[in-house]
Amino acid sequence: MSQPSTASDSRLLGTVQACILFVGGIVGASFAVGAWEALAAPIGVAAGTTAFQLAQTAFQFAGFVAPALLFVAAAGDRSLLPADAPDRRELALAIGGLVLLYVLQYGLLAALGALGIAPVQNRAIDPESHQPVYFLWMVLFSVLVVGPAEELLFRGAIQGLLKRAWGAWPAIVGASALFGLLHYSVGSGSVMGALAYVLIAFLLGSVLGVLYERTGNLVVPTLAHGGFNAVAFAIQYLAVTG
């Protein structure tokens, strides 16, 4: 009779740990952004400038990933974050995943548009509140900061913990659901528009989750994710400067 109880306890523990890391990431990001805002003025960086926004992004994602890194360090469980130089097959999967992300996104946007639903616009690509050079810098930040931070938390720590507790496919769905939920408040607009953005983020996150499950190498979904964001910022830069 002890084995089912042990399995149940293990599932509960893994689920709770994953949820704590999700909440911890949000809290960590908020704390880091607040710390940067308090630091910026005394060192002469004016709010709203490109330098301010880029530093804010760096602080935000450092705070976002910090709980996951601290958890792995405290547990001594480096296996949650497997990362190696990708081989040719993995590079091909990363590139294919990037293409699939865009095909899926545009397909979803077309389907939602046919239903009269417009997802909210992510504030990060709002041309009204950013200078063109910001978008150019974010091409680099996407690959070096944003993609790695989000993949370490969602595919590495959260999906890894959920996989131990429930298996591969429930872990992919669970981590992707949290990834989608994170994007609920990325823009301003209607509730339906925000939920549409959540749906898109969930499905794109599922692709990244499958990439990670297929390869066991965090670098693969990180390249696809960072590349996806980088292309979006590059397109926005060309749009506002063309």
Side-chain angles (χ1 to χ4, degrees):
M1 296 295 291
S2 61
Q3 186 173 353
S5 176
T6 300
S8 177
D9 291 346
S10 178
R11 285 182 169 180
L12 177 60
L13 176 62
T15 303
V16 170
Q17 288 174 328
C19 291
I20 288 174
L21 289 182
F22 173 69
V23 174
I26 295 172
V27 172
S30 298
F31 177 83
V33 168
W36 165 243
E37 290 174 348
L39 175 65
I43 64 174
V45 181
T49 62
T50 297
F52 179 91
Q53 293 167 340
L54 292 172
Q56 184 179 59
T57 298
F59 270 75
Q60 176 187 352
F61 283 93
F64 185 68
V65 76
L69 296 177
L70 290 172
F71 174 82
V72 169
D77 192 358
R78 177 67 176 77
S79 63
L80 270 178
L81 305 177
D84 297 293
D87 58 26
R88 290 183 180 180
R89 170 183 170 272
E90 291 172 334
L91 281 175
L93 285 172
I95 295 169
L98 169 58
V99 173
L100 179 58
L101 289 173
Y102 267 98
V103 170
L104 181 58
Q105 176 181 251
Y106 283 112
L108 289 168
L109 289 173
L112 290 168
L115 297 173
I117 301 172
V120 297
Q121 182 186 49
N122 193 318
R123 294 186 190 91
I125 60 171
D126 179 10
E128 298 298 323
S129 56
H130 300 96
Q131 294 296 318
V133 69
Y134 166 83
F135 300 117
L136 195 58
W137 273 106
M138 283 304 298
V139 172
L140 183 63
F141 270 54
S142 294
V143 176
L144 299 181
V145 178
V146 180
E150 291 193 341
E151 291 308 301
L152 281 170
L153 177 61
F154 284 100
R155 255 53 68 181
I158 292 177
Q159 185 170 315
L161 288 168
L162 292 177
K163 180 179 179 180
R164 292 176 182 178
W166 298 97
W169 286 106
I172 292 170
V173 172
S176 300
L178 293 176
F179 182 71
L181 183 60
L182 177 74
H183 290 80
Y184 179 79
S185 59
V186 298
S188 301
S190 67
V191 171
M192 186 60 71
L195 291 175
Y197 200 103
V198 169
L199 173 63
I200 292 172
F202 165 72
L203 293 174
L204 298 184
S206 297
V207 172
L208 296 169
V210 171
L211 279 176
Y212 179 45
E213 177 61 27
R214 285 286 304 274
T215 62
N217 185 358
L218 271 174
V219 175
V220 177
T222 296
L223 289 174
H225 188 167
F228 177 85
N229 287 5
V231 170
F233 282 110
I235 291 172
Q236 191 70 343
Y237 174 77
L238 293 174
V240 298
T241 57

